[in-house]
Amino acid sequence: MTVEKIFTISELATMFDISSRTIRYYEEIGMLTSENRDSMTKQRSYTNRERRRLKMILRGKN
């Protein structure tokens, strides 16, 4: 069984050279969904599936 990597919003933003606000916008309009937020920090976390989805969204945008 493989463990799925979890990404923070800042990791994804850095990975794709976009702002975290852009990622929050895609989440707001329903194109992305974050996993459970940390109850203490309220930080969003994203799975590898969502990373691939974001990559596809950005590819379509270009």
Side-chain angles (χ1 to χ4, degrees), residues 9-55:
I9 193 169
S10 58
E11 287 175 326
L12 286 180
T14 301
M15 190 180 298
F16 292 107
D17 196 28
I18 57 176
S19 69
S20 56
R21 177 64 193 118
T22 301
I23 297 172
R24 286 193 295 272
Y25 171 73
Y26 289 137
E27 189 175 340
E28 186 179 304
I29 63 172
M31 295 180 82
L32 284 177
T33 56
S34 62
E35 290 298 309
N36 296 336
R37 292 190 187 187
D38 183 275
S39 60
M40 297 287 283
T41 63
K42 304 292 185 201
Q43 186 172 17
R44 292 170 166 88
S45 58
Y46 299 89
T47 62
N48 199 39
R49 179 174 183 246
E50 292 302 315
R51 183 194 61 81
R52 288 190 309 264
R53 183 184 298 263
L54 179 59
K55 185 176 182 177

